[in-house]
Amino acid sequence: MTSRQPESSGTPPCPLTGFLDVCDRTRIAGWAVDLSAPDLPVRLRILCDGRPVDETDADLPRTDLEGLPREGHCAFEWTWPEAPPHEGCLIEIVDVLLDRPLSGSPFRLAPLPATLRGSLDIADRRHVAGWVQDAANPDRTVWLTLWLDGKPVSRFPANQFRRDLREAGFGTGRHGFDHIFPAPLDPLQGHDIYLTHGDTPFGNPVTLARAGTLDTAMRNYLSTLLQGIDSLPEREKALSFLMHEAKSLKDRTGALLTDCDARARKAQARRQQIPTAPIPPTILFVDDQAPDTTRDAGSVAIVSHMSAIQALGYRVFFVASRRPSSEDDRRKLATLEIECLTEPFCSGPEDALRHLGDGLEAIYLHRLNNAECYSALARAFAPTATLIWSIADLASMRLHRQATIEHRPELDRVATNLEVRESMCAWLADVTITHSSVEAEWISRTIPTARAAIIPWAVPVLSRRKTTIDRPTITFVGHFAHTPNLDAAKWLVLDILPRLRKLCPDIRCRLIGSAMPHAIHQLAADDVEILGFVPDLHPALAQTTLCIAPLRYGAGLKGKILESWSVGIPIVMTPIAAEGLVDPKDPLWEMAIASTAEDFARKTALFLEKPSLGRKQITEARRILRERFSAALIQEKFRTLLPPVESSVPSPETFTDPAEPSLN
């Protein structure tokens, strides 16, 4: 067959002559002639819903066409190789050469009767899912057309197996559908989704609103987009973009947390001498891990200081430097209205300082390692903030004393090195906080330019629970990851207790505390109970006759002494344990302080024999707690160290310019 060449682009093509005579579910027939090339048969293309299904030539003879070219061999007839869509379809007949439509085309093939039942269960940016069955023809597969934003985008069968449909009596259960989009829909745009079976709508239309947050759809969209990046240069560009956006988002979050915009407006109003409402100042606390008041005295101190500063009107943030805070830590601090900073906003103190920056009025670094690591960063990112170093205890002083007790000269060298590091941190800080007057005196003597402040923690005076104790019981409480407590427990059980048994044969000794190693558990005996960590110390202390603090070395204030006084239990202690708390030359306290194992055992037995000694001690101890360890006193001490909190100022609307007349 000779092929026809398309006409010149400068000449409009002649219309296709002919007609679509028959179009039903059995066959398609008609005739066609191209008057520009009457000697050649016309090649026709058949389209169903815009999809080509076949081609045929208009070269069949028909008696009613004998007057046409080629003696009437201009007809065509095409039979469906398979049944056309049940829901109907749009038939188009065009010539292959120039896509000229045949008269009578397009033709809508009517749908067959159907009674649809089912539901559109899911319609989101990834897929549409549900089920549909033709009740009039339950065994046939129903085909659905998906319309997106008013345009048909795909056609699919509802023939997936669903057990729930079969168990509900819907035939074989093969009436489900789950059509996944080739790519997730753009979450930055709204979309309208609906389904049809032919011309019959199925289910209710669904409108997907434009995403305003980073919801699941947006995350899936971004994930798919990033996974599609294959080349190394494009991945580097994507990483650079994401890192820049992450930093920008963190900066904006930090500015929001510290009210930077409000601060800028306030500074401008101050320059214009316009009164404004006060903005709460902010302080960042840094410690190794989130505080746990049941774990150690350092946690008790930092929580007390947070509460005191919060009571002054400060907004308090906390970030951990070594052990990341858990969600449980965040919840516990949130109950105290303390904001715990964690991933993804910040991975540690450096991130917190970088992004909170100039919005901080004060920075509180707890313990030596945090002061060493972050003092310079604090000065760089928050140069106007008051820098506070809270030492917990002087490690150099503790190690010097340990070296003397254990006859270890190598520890003296370590302690000397620590002295230099502690001196540098105290010199860098605006204020160095210690809990002990002995440590404050060392700081003032060693670093004359340093400002040392003695600020203990708040210790409430509680009532003691009345319980019956079957035998004299002494208790030592401590955090056993702290070396002085580990040494004290061994000294107590191995040296003091054998002497005490001779004076008080029915004595019972208890060891309580967190982070208790195996070496302590090995000290257990018939009269030595190893309780380990207890979440609530008060019930255990209620079964105690006398607390003891046999510390041979250490530094700082001893939380175990304050806690025993708090619940009304007297205590026998070493000079190291009593340091910074009481005057060892005072006759009242001299009776409760012992340096040797023999003296410690004797004075412990004396307190057990004469309860009146314990009552006198508690009376004086509680006076000390009320005078030196009250929450109000701690708060007042911080008031003198921190930038002042602005008092409430009436808003500008309440002020009247005297130059302007009153409207009343």
Side-chain angles (χ1 to χ4, degrees):
M1 182 183 296
T2 304
S3 62
R4 295 179 297 157
Q5 297 297 321
E7 297 182 11
S8 171
S9 59
T11 305
C14 294
L16 191 64
T17 303
F19 196 79
L20 177 62
D21 297 321
V22 179
C23 185
D24 57 26
R25 291 184 172 272
T26 302
R27 66 192 182 99
I28 297 173
W31 63 277
V33 174
D34 185 355
L35 296 179
S36 63
D39 296 333
L40 298 175
V42 178
R43 183 73 173 173
L44 298 173
R45 179 179 291 120
I46 302 171
L47 298 97
C48 178
D49 288 333
R51 298 186 302 275
V53 294
D54 205 352
E55 292 182 2
T56 188
D57 290 316
D59 58 358
L60 299 177
R62 256 176 53 178
T63 56
D64 60 331
L65 301 177
E66 289 180 354
L68 293 177
R70 301 192 315 282
E71 298 179 354
H73 286 68
C74 304
F76 67 91
E77 184 170 349
W78 180 81
T79 303
W80 287 95
E82 58 183 23
H86 190 280
E87 66 273 18
C89 57
L90 185 69
I91 302 299
E92 297 176 84
I93 310 295
V94 300
D95 77 306
V96 172
L97 185 65
L98 299 173
D99 282 340
R100 290 171 294 181
L102 185 65
S103 183
S105 167
F107 181 85
R108 170 67 64 180
L109 194 63
L112 295 175
T115 303
L116 300 183
R117 56 184 176 183
S119 68
L120 175 59
D121 300 327
I122 300 173
D124 57 26
R125 299 180 189 277
R126 294 181 58 249
H127 66 152
V128 291
W131 69 278
V132 60
Q133 183 191 45
D134 181 2
N137 303 277
D139 293 331
R140 83 172 182 90
T141 296
V142 176
W143 284 73
L144 297 173
T145 300
L146 172 65
W147 295 73
L148 178 63
D149 299 331
K151 298 178 181 179
V153 293
S154 59
R155 181 174 177 268
F156 54 87
N159 60 358
Q160 294 184 9
F161 174 73
R162 281 182 44 171
R163 184 183 297 275
D164 60 328
L165 296 179
R166 187 180 67 179
E167 293 176 351
F170 292 99
T172 61
R174 289 193 170 276
H175 306 293
F177 62 88
D178 188 354
H179 177 73
I180 300 174
F181 298 128
L185 301 182
D186 186 354
L188 298 178
Q189 296 181 5
H191 299 282
D192 293 319
I193 298 174
Y194 63 94
L195 301 174
T196 61
H197 176 66
D199 295 329
T200 305
F202 172 72
N204 296 320
V206 175
T207 298
L208 301 178
R210 176 182 180 274
T213 60
L214 193 63
D215 56 9
T216 302
M218 180 68 83
R219 289 197 295 270
N220 290 336
Y221 177 79
L222 292 175
S223 177
T224 303
L225 182 65
L226 293 173
Q227 288 175 8
I229 301 176
D230 294 329
S231 69
L232 184 59
E234 289 301 318
R235 287 183 178 179
E236 290 178 348
K237 290 180 182 178
L239 282 172
S240 177
F241 169 77
L242 291 174
M243 292 174 66
H244 176 271
E245 291 302 312
K247 180 182 180 301
S248 175
L249 189 59
K250 288 183 177 183
D251 287 341
R252 295 201 305 271
T253 302
L256 181 64
L257 288 174
T258 55
D259 297 316
C260 280
D261 289 344
R263 291 169 185 270
R265 292 193 298 270
K266 187 176 183 66
Q268 182 179 4
R270 186 182 296 114
R271 288 192 296 270
Q272 297 173 353
Q273 298 184 350
I274 300 175
T276 57
I279 299 173
T282 56
I283 183 171
L284 175 67
F285 278 76
V286 179
D287 200 1
D288 294 348
Q289 57 184 314
D292 180 357
T293 54
T294 65
R295 185 180 61 233
D296 60 353
S299 293
V300 176
I302 195 172
V303 169
S304 174
H305 290 181
M306 286 177 176
S307 299
I309 294 174
Q310 194 177 56
L312 293 175
Y314 272 74
R315 188 175 178 184
V316 177
F317 298 99
F318 173 82
V319 64
S321 61
R322 292 192 172 183
R323 179 181 175 184
S325 299
S326 64
E327 189 59 33
D328 188 49
D329 294 329
R330 290 187 65 175
R331 284 194 297 269
K332 288 179 180 178
L333 289 175
T335 61
L336 303 174
E337 297 185 356
I338 294 167
E339 299 174 64
C340 184
L341 305 179
T342 60
E343 293 277 18
F345 169 59
C346 73
S347 57
E350 181 175 353
D351 258 359
L353 290 168
R354 184 187 304 275
H355 298 299
L356 297 181
D358 292 334
L360 294 171
E361 271 79 15
I363 299 167
Y364 182 112
L365 304 176
H366 197 214
R367 308 181 204 273
L368 174 62
N369 57 289
N370 292 312
E372 285 186 307
C373 292
Y374 304 113
S375 290
L377 286 175
R379 292 299 191 201
F381 292 124
T384 62
T386 299
L387 182 59
I388 298 172
W389 172 38
S390 179
I391 66 175
D393 70 348
L394 280 174
S396 61
M397 183 178 292
R398 170 164 39 87
L399 283 179
H400 275 307
R401 291 168 172 175
Q402 182 180 355
T404 301
I405 292 294
E406 297 179 355
H407 306 291
R408 295 174 59 188
E410 77 278 7
L411 281 184
D412 261 330
R413 292 192 291 271
V414 175
T416 301
N417 177 269
L418 278 174
E419 282 184 18
V420 176
R421 294 161 56 192
E422 289 168 338
S423 299
M424 181 60 69
C425 290
W427 179 76
L428 286 172
D430 293 312
V431 181
T432 300
I433 291 178
T434 177
H435 311 310
S436 166
S437 58
V438 174
E439 292 177 334
E441 181 183 351
W442 180 89
I443 293 170
S444 298
R445 183 178 66 254
T446 307
I447 314 105
T449 58
R451 182 184 180 186
I454 304 172
I455 306 181
W457 57 91
V459 182
V461 176
L462 306 175
S463 58
R464 185 180 182 186
R465 298 180 183 180
K466 301 293 184 180
T467 56
T468 301
I469 303 174
D470 57 352
R471 56 193 284 198
T473 303
I474 60 174
T475 300
F476 174 54
V477 181
H479 175 55
F480 287 92
H482 194 49
T483 307
N485 292 332
L486 188 62
D487 173 81
K490 293 178 179 178
W491 190 49
L492 166 64
V493 175
L494 300 178
D495 290 343
I496 298 174
L497 197 56
R499 294 173 169 82
L500 185 56
R501 290 189 185 108
K502 297 176 183 178
L503 303 174
C504 188
D506 59 344
I507 190 71
R508 175 171 56 198
C509 176
R510 283 179 170 171
L511 301 180
I512 301 175
S514 57
M516 192 171 280
H518 181 66
I520 296 298
H521 286 280
Q522 288 184 314
L523 299 176
D526 292 340
D527 57 355
V528 179
E529 295 181 8
I530 311 297
L531 298 186
F533 171 76
V534 293
D536 185 1
L537 190 59
H538 293 169
L541 291 181
Q543 299 293 326
T544 294
T545 310
L546 180 71
C547 282
I548 53 175
L551 295 169
R552 297 195 298 169
Y553 58 85
L557 291 190
K558 312 303 179 292
K560 57 189 70 64
I561 297 176
L562 299 174
E563 191 147 13
S564 67
W565 286 350
S566 173
V567 296
I569 301 176
I571 188 165
V572 175
M573 49 196 157
T574 59
I576 291 294
E579 185 179 75
L581 279 175
V582 297
D583 181 4
K585 297 179 181 179
D586 187 302
L588 175 65
W589 297 110
E590 187 179 11
M591 297 179 61
I593 297 175
S595 301
T596 65
E598 185 67 38
D599 194 26
F600 206 99
R602 181 179 61 81
K603 290 185 176 178
T604 299
L606 185 62
F607 268 83
L608 293 174
E609 293 170 6
K610 297 183 178 181
S612 60
L613 294 178
R615 289 194 293 270
K616 289 181 181 180
Q617 183 189 114
I618 290 301
T619 299
E620 178 62 18
R622 294 196 161 198
R623 182 190 66 79
I624 293 174
L625 293 183
R626 292 188 179 95
E627 290 182 358
R628 294 166 48 191
F629 295 88
S630 69
L633 179 64
I634 308 303
Q635 181 178 331
E636 190 57 36
K637 284 179 176 289
F638 275 111
R639 189 191 304 277
T640 63
L641 300 180
L642 296 172
V645 177
E646 187 178 4
S647 59
S648 180
V649 177
S651 63
E653 289 80 2
T654 63
F655 284 77
T656 302
D657 190 338
E660 295 185 3
S662 173
L663 297 179
N664 294 327

